Amino acid sequence: MQIVSSQLRARLDALLIQIYPDHDTDALRTQITDAFWPDPSEQRNRARAPGQTLWSEKDSVVITYGNSVQDGKHKPLDLLHDFLQRYLMGTINGVHILPFFPFTSDDGFAVTDYRTVNSTLGDWEDIERIASEFRLMSDLVLNHVSSLSHWFSDYLQGHAPYDQFFAEALPSDDLSDVVRPRTSPLLREVDTANGTKHVWCTFSHDQVDLDFHNPEVLLEFLRIMRLHINHGVQIIRLDAVAFIWKTLGTSCVHLPETHAIVRLMRLLCDYNADPVVLITETNVPNAENLSYFGNRNEAHMIYNFSLPPLLLHALMSGSALHLNQWLMRMPPAQHGCAYLNFSASHDGIGVRGAEGLLSGDELGDMIGAVKEFGGLVSMRALADGSEKPYEMNITFFDACKGTILGGQDDLQFERFLCSQTIVMALEGVPAFYIHSLLGTPNDHDGVAKTDVKRAINRHRWDYPALRAQLDDPASIHARVLDALKSRIAIRTAHKPFNPNATQFTMQLGEEIFGLWRQSRERDQSIFAMHNVTDHPVTIPLQSINLIEGEEWWDILTGARIDLTRRDLTFAPYQCRWLSNRP
């Protein structure tokens, strides 16, 4: 039994009473602390105070599958380790390896066993080797497990405790308000040792939803969290967390108990001896997404889901109007919290984050261009039986092939580099999907082979072929990687890009997306400006409010700014970061 401080006891009890009012709070608290801290030395006496020590301008993340590079001979995790060392060491210090566990579908997100590494990738030793050199993020797919997992198998056979692990409903229940990210039927009929049941499947019939009304489910995930931490994981991503609590007659998304469970996990992380960062994955409209910061007591970090569609729209339309308006309304991350900024993920470019920010016509125009550039669109079901776009399936590199009005052009590289430079400039920690770093094109063969739209953005590179491309400085893949690494390195050298440094949106018109970033010490300013159009743009130099009497440099080029000039000109998609420190 753990010795728990009075403060931790009080805070845990308050959460447990909210989540599980009908259970013995004392007994459940003991079970929770024993699950998360089997070794009492891992527990702090006092919570780690919210602060800015968990990240800095030095931090960035690459998102990758464990087998994004492969050669048919070596363990993919060995090859990934080699890729990270060879090409990213010293530039990017964090890696999110997408679910590296045994699975049955959804490229890893239908997990069969959280306690083992997928043997086709490698083993825990390989994970620990990467974690010893890079800050490692792993996934906790809280909402569901594979229908072929031993948990669900034991449920079907009526074996305790798993006979109480899965969410059930009746076809006659009113489920009309349930928010869905998919179009498949919500309920799946199954035969069990206890009779015919209808289990809840928010995502697919191979991904069966767990029942967090049973505290044993939460306890099992806390044990899994501890296992991952002990294997070197420092950042835990709560996948599909918004859907974990079900109450009939509600939307079954973002319910109070869901937020309380996130707060409980955050509390445990803050009392853990080694720092553990909790990040929530909630592909939902912006206001709903922001709610997962809580009052500095839920997620340490949240994904900035509105950024990808608004960023792409700005570059496709040549207008940063909506990107500017969104950013002006975005609150600075609370003390001890940060945004994770990205342009694309393994799923593509979600559009739910643009709800209420882009009109139907604007979204339709962007989707039309995406289709013209070889992309696809995935839908979600609405309560009235209709469907609505959920995400655009395309690599972000190919999404930058052209514009809405002009179609495909020869500015793909410049447009794409501008997009990633904006991601780097924003308040928060930048994250780069491996296929963005590599400028990977759409994988239509993967879609044809799997009949899965998301496969278009999940290419598996032959590692020798990739290395040959990256060793050729003229190849597009080498050009993209080299350009991005150069700008990431510049970013890491300047304190105004601390994830929590001051940020203000500049008003430079629709064609230039501009930010003012200032170091927390207030001794360095950077005006980060980006031309989102396919033509040159000139702005008055006086509109930038450069501090008089100081010298200014464009740190992206190293050039000194001639303050006697009246205007500043940007080539198509050119980015300028003007700083009073070289």
Side-chain angles (χ1 to χ4, degrees), residues 427-504:
E427 174 196 340
V429 175
F432 307 91
Y433 186 39
I434 189 170
H435 293 307
S436 292
L437 284 176
L438 297 174
T440 306
N442 293 328
D443 188 349
H444 293 289
D445 290 341
V447 176
K449 186 181 299 184
T450 62
D451 197 30
V452 174
K453 292 179 180 179
R454 287 177 166 178
I456 199 170
N457 191 34
R458 297 177 177 178
H459 182 67
R460 270 43 173 178
W461 272 99
D462 175 72
Y463 193 40
L466 175 61
R467 286 191 56 189
Q469 288 288 327
L470 296 180
D471 289 343
D472 176 7
S475 80
I476 189 61
H477 309 293
R479 290 178 60 208
V480 168
L481 182 59
D482 289 347
L484 293 181
K485 285 174 61 177
S486 174
R487 294 197 171 179
I488 293 169
I490 292 168
R491 180 189 183 277
T492 62
H494 293 276
K495 291 184 178 180
F497 291 123
N498 181 288
N500 299 112
T502 298
Q503 172 177 288
F504 284 106

Side-chain angles (χ1 to χ4, degrees), residues 63 65 96 98-99 106-109 139 181-182 203 207 237 239-240 281-283 303 305 308 342-351 376-378 390-396 433 435 452-458:
I63 305 165
Y65 281 99
H96 172 202
L98 292 154
D106 200 16
D107 269 353
F109 286 89
D139 285 282
R182 299 289 186 274
F203 289 84
Q207 295 164 294
R237 177 181 185 262
D239 182 79
E281 183 272 337
T282 51
N283 187 2
Y303 280 77
F305 271 105
F342 69 110
S343 62
S345 72
H346 57 290
D347 288 340
I349 305 166
V351 299
L376 306 167
V377 180
S378 294
Y390 178 69
E391 69 189 12
M392 298 176 288
N393 304 117
I394 189 170
T395 69
F396 207 89
Y433 186 39
H435 293 307
V452 174
K453 292 179 180 179
R454 287 177 166 178
I456 199 170
N457 191 34
R458 297 177 177 178

Side-chain angles (χ1 to χ4, degrees), residues 232-347:
V233 171
Q234 297 182 51
I235 306 172
I236 294 177
R237 177 181 185 262
L238 303 182
D239 182 79
V241 64
F243 303 96
I244 63 174
W245 196 272
K246 279 79 173 171
T247 299
L248 294 179
T250 73
S251 64
C252 298
V253 64
H254 316 310
L255 296 187
E257 293 85 354
T258 295
H259 284 282
I261 288 173
V262 177
R263 289 199 295 274
L264 185 146
M265 290 181 168
R266 164 70 180 264
L267 181 63
L268 297 176
C269 290
D270 286 347
Y271 269 91
N272 196 60
D274 294 323
V276 178
V277 171
L278 209 61
I279 181 168
T280 50
E281 183 272 337
T282 51
N283 187 2
V284 293
N286 194 48
E288 299 171 33
N289 188 36
L290 288 170
S291 71
Y292 283 87
F293 277 143
N295 184 22
R296 300 191 305 168
N297 58 357
E298 294 190 31
H300 294 94
M301 302 178 75
I302 64 171
Y303 280 77
N304 227 339
F305 271 105
S306 294
L307 176 59
L310 293 179
L311 177 61
L312 184 60
H313 181 267
L315 294 163
M316 280 188 167
S317 67
S319 170
L321 174 64
H322 297 301
L323 189 61
N324 267 315
Q325 290 177 339
W326 162 74
L327 195 63
M328 288 168 58
R329 294 194 295 263
M330 282 288 283
Q334 301 174 53
H335 188 64
C337 301
Y339 295 109
L340 189 79
N341 297 317
F342 69 110
S343 62
S345 72
H346 57 290
D347 288 340

Side-chain angles (χ1 to χ4, degrees), residues 65-68 70 76 97-122 139 141 144-150 204 206-207 346 450 452 458 460:
Y65 281 99
N67 62 351
S68 288
Q70 53 191 19
I97 305 179
L98 292 154
F100 47 80
F101 322 106
F103 71 98
T104 52
S105 64
D106 200 16
D107 269 353
F109 286 89
V111 178
T112 60
D113 184 0
Y114 275 110
R115 297 183 175 277
T116 60
V117 174
N118 186 341
S119 60
T120 65
L121 299 178
D139 285 282
V141 187
H144 51 261
V145 295
S146 166
S147 65
L148 296 183
S149 65
H150 83 84
S204 79
D206 186 40
Q207 295 164 294
H346 57 290
T450 62
V452 174
R458 297 177 177 178
R460 270 43 173 178

Side-chain angles (χ1 to χ4, degrees), residues 356-416:
L357 303 173
L358 294 179
S359 70
D361 287 345
E362 289 165 332
L363 181 59
D365 289 342
M366 182 165 60
I367 288 174
V370 163
K371 290 179 178 179
E372 181 183 343
F373 304 153
L376 306 167
V377 180
S378 294
M379 310 295 286
R380 67 183 182 96
L382 301 181
D384 62 4
S386 63
E387 296 182 357
K388 193 174 184 179
Y390 178 69
E391 69 189 12
M392 298 176 288
N393 304 117
I394 189 170
T395 69
F396 207 89
F397 185 66
D398 272 3
C400 290
K401 279 185 173 180
T403 63
I404 291 170
L405 293 179
Q408 191 166 334
D409 57 30
D410 59 358
L411 292 170
Q412 180 180 12
F413 175 82
E414 290 80 7
R415 187 178 293 112
F416 176 75

